[in-house]
Amino acid sequence: MVATSALLIPAALALLLPGAQAPGGTGSALDPTTLALTARSALLEQADRYQRLAGEAALRRTRLTDALTAEQAAREELATRQQAVGAGAADLYRADAIGRYPVLGLDLHDAEATPGVLYQQALADRAGADRSADVVQAARSAARLEAAVARVADARAAVVAADRRAADVLSAVRAEVDDLSPEVSGRLAALGTVRAAGAQQERNAAATRRWQEYLGRLATGGIAPPPAAALTDLTSLPAGMSPALDADGRPVPGVAWAVIGSEPVTVLPAETVAAVSNALSQLGKPFLPGTAGPETYDCGGFTAASWLLAGYALPGSPEAQWASGPAVPARDVQVGDLVFSPGGQDVGIYVGDGDVVGASAASYQVAVRAMAAGSSAVRVTAPAPGAVNPALPAGGGTGACGAPLPQPGPVSPRWGGWENGRIPAEALCRLGIAGHALRCDAAASYARLDAAFTEEFGVPLRITDSYRSLGAQVAAFYAKPGLAAVPGASNHGWALAVDLGGGVNVAGTPQWTWMTANAGRFGFVQPGWASPGGEKPEPWHWEYGYIS
């Protein structure tokens, strides 16, 4: 009940969020939707500022590392110089008068020994000069060390200052989300979503609706989510709140209970509310490895971006995020917790009722999915763990961010739940040429392929076709019935195929030959049917992976 009771609200009890625009009404300049838009814009601006300052802090840390390395080298150099001076001084101390000044050994009665004595004196003079040089070099090394120590101090102060500036931005973000009302947070959760296909859209919408109903219940009960800092001391919780208890009667860190009417409700920190609302507002956005929004995400980038808009800076990988907070037993998972799939390569945010929202490589989009059996979790708003979380067990049956492991045999080109030619534009990534677009990972690979081709030939690839909607397929079929595929069956309808010109469209040309030798490095291949000698030669047709 602790984990999900606040979110399991019967539809009959769900209340409209206060401040909502009435059907057919004109609304207000300060209605919750307007405030949500303003809040998200401000949070994104602060997040951009934090990223810049974090980059500056990282640069300062690099310079500090370089300065520490130079300081260590200066210390080692000084130690070597001091050792040489010390050895010379010890030799001089142990020598007798003639050893120090061989000329004292000259004998008027032994003229034959004079050349040897003079030679020994020359050697002594040279040794003395070397000792003097060592002293001078030691003094210079000491000066270099002093300068190196000063540079380290300056670099360390610069790191502290840069970290402080970045931390101040996070504090400002937390202060801003602490002021968001439940009504505004509820509207924030529905901003910017991209419609998914079929059952996935229904699941996404249900999670968002459940979250908005929870916030609506807080609003009608006059409960404002408190800052996370106000929920750390269980003996001084905000008025009207009591410690939340787990199934064994132990306090649950980071959340509290309140009562609305005669029913208990779990009260989450304001920062958690902001993180979850921002996460849900990105539903349907495309998945792309190595990205953290705001247009595309991978799993770690998505959770990091969502929590950054709540004032918490998380590392970008699931592995590092697992180590960033205290582990939470699966039975005690709370809304907002980071949930890691078995194997630890995929991460999402728990949104209640056994659901997780995350950027999945399995569906190529931000989506709500069931929390997998055997998952692990950490709580972002709870104090950092005193000990390192144990490493998650390897395995899990999927790759990075839930990517399906390769299977032998033909691979279906279907993805995201959409039908051929019915993929919304918002789920694709533009290629920057006319209206051409592909699935985001294919688009990123195409950009690298284009760069390599341009370096080789001095001109970019000439693309003539990419994703083809069902309407475009119908038009192409009627225009070229003998050449175009039956509508709904075009390989271009999966946003994974391109047609190219500029020489690539003619077999045997240098451009086509280069493609056959190099396109595979970027994931593009020419299927057998389109190759010269194939059943339907189309040298211009290339696909991201074998889809036909």
Side-chain angles (χ1 to χ4, degrees):
M1 180 179 70
V2 176
T4 60
S5 64
L7 303 183
L8 299 178
I9 305 174
L13 297 179
L15 300 175
L16 288 175
L17 295 176
Q21 180 177 320
T26 58
S28 165
L30 294 179
D31 67 12
T33 299
T34 300
L35 292 174
L37 287 167
T38 302
R40 179 161 178 82
S41 177
L43 292 175
L44 286 172
E45 183 177 347
Q46 292 280 49
D48 287 342
R49 185 180 175 205
Y50 173 81
Q51 296 285 18
R52 291 194 298 271
L53 291 174
E56 179 183 338
L59 177 61
R60 298 291 186 186
R61 278 189 283 275
T62 299
R63 291 176 178 173
L64 173 59
T65 299
D66 293 342
L68 288 169
T69 301
E71 178 190 4
Q72 182 60 30
R75 290 188 184 280
E76 293 173 356
E77 178 187 341
L78 177 59
T80 300
R81 297 296 184 187
Q82 289 175 332
Q83 184 178 9
V85 170
D91 290 342
L92 191 62
Y93 176 79
R94 289 192 293 268
D96 57 17
I98 293 178
R100 295 180 183 180
Y101 303 103
V103 293
L104 297 178
L106 289 175
D107 188 347
L108 293 175
H109 304 289
D110 189 3
E112 293 182 356
T114 297
V117 172
L118 294 178
Y119 176 71
Q120 291 298 322
Q121 183 60 50
L123 292 179
D125 291 343
R126 177 178 294 178
D130 289 343
R131 284 193 295 272
S132 297
D134 286 340
V135 171
V136 171
Q137 291 296 333
R140 291 175 177 172
S141 295
R144 284 193 287 271
L145 175 58
E146 183 178 358
V149 170
R151 285 194 293 272
V152 166
D154 290 343
R156 186 171 280 118
V159 168
V160 171
D163 284 340
R164 184 183 301 113
R165 288 193 293 272
D168 288 344
V169 173
L170 293 179
S171 295
V173 171
R174 289 196 292 272
E176 187 163 344
V177 301
D178 289 346
D179 288 337
L180 295 179
S181 68
E183 300 98 317
V184 172
S185 296
R187 299 298 175 87
L188 181 59
L191 296 178
T193 58
V194 176
R195 188 170 182 83
Q200 184 62 65
Q201 174 61 24
E202 296 175 7
R203 185 163 203 167
N204 291 352
T208 301
R209 184 168 56 253
R210 188 171 64 241
W211 176 244
Q212 290 178 318
E213 290 171 349
Y214 162 70
L215 295 177
R217 192 178 183 194
L218 292 184
T220 57
I223 298 174
L231 298 178
T232 56
D233 186 354
L234 300 181
T235 63
S236 60
L237 294 174
M241 297 184 189
S242 60
L245 304 177
D246 65 14
D248 297 326
R250 295 172 301 186
V252 178
V255 297
W257 275 348
V259 175
I260 297 178
S262 59
E263 297 183 3
V265 60
T266 300
V267 180
L268 303 167
E271 295 89 335
T272 299
V273 171
V276 173
S277 290
N278 279 295
L280 291 172
S281 74
Q282 301 304 291
L283 282 168
K285 290 287 185 73
F287 169 89
L288 180 63
T291 59
E295 300 302 328
T296 61
Y297 299 91
D298 67 9
C299 56
F302 172 75
T303 49
S306 299
W307 271 102
L308 181 57
L309 294 179
Y312 285 81
L314 301 180
S317 70
E319 295 80 7
Q321 288 179 10
W322 165 249
S324 66
V328 176
R331 70 171 188 170
D332 294 335
V333 66
Q334 293 287 327
V335 172
D337 288 348
L338 299 182
V339 174
F340 302 83
S341 62
Q345 294 195 72
D346 197 8
V347 61
I349 297 176
Y350 188 68
V351 291
D353 203 27
D355 282 342
V356 173
V357 60
S360 175
S363 59
Y364 290 96
Q365 60 188 303
V366 176
V368 175
R369 64 180 186 271
M371 178 177 170
S375 294
S376 305
V378 299
R379 184 153 302 149
V380 176
T381 57
V388 177
N389 290 335
L392 293 174
T398 62
C401 291
L405 297 179
Q407 297 291 330
V411 177
S412 171
R414 185 184 302 273
W415 60 277
W418 291 289
E419 298 297 328
N420 185 296
R422 298 185 183 274
I423 304 171
E426 297 86 351
L428 302 175
C429 284
R430 300 286 180 178
L431 302 183
I433 304 171
H436 292 298
L438 293 172
R439 193 175 72 187
C440 287
D441 55 339
S445 295
Y446 179 86
R448 293 190 289 270
L449 171 64
D450 183 42
F453 184 90
T454 302
E455 183 178 356
E456 177 70 19
F457 293 101
V459 295
L461 284 167
R462 181 170 174 266
I463 185 168
T464 61
D465 202 3
S466 54
Y467 171 63
R468 195 180 293 171
S469 67
L470 185 61
Q473 293 181 44
V474 170
F477 182 76
Y478 279 102
K480 302 176 182 178
L483 184 62
V486 174
S490 171
N491 292 336
H492 291 278
W494 300 117
L496 295 171
V498 294
D499 288 346
L500 303 173
V504 179
N505 54 317
V506 180
T509 63
Q511 293 86 347
W512 181 86
T513 301
W514 184 91
M515 284 287 293
T516 60
N518 294 277
R521 295 191 289 121
F522 306 94
F524 281 87
V525 295
Q526 187 161 73
W529 62 263
S531 300
E535 62 182 88
K536 187 184 176 185
E538 292 185 3
W540 54 84
H541 183 88
W542 296 79
E543 300 175 351
Y544 186 65
Y546 286 102
I547 66 174
S548 61

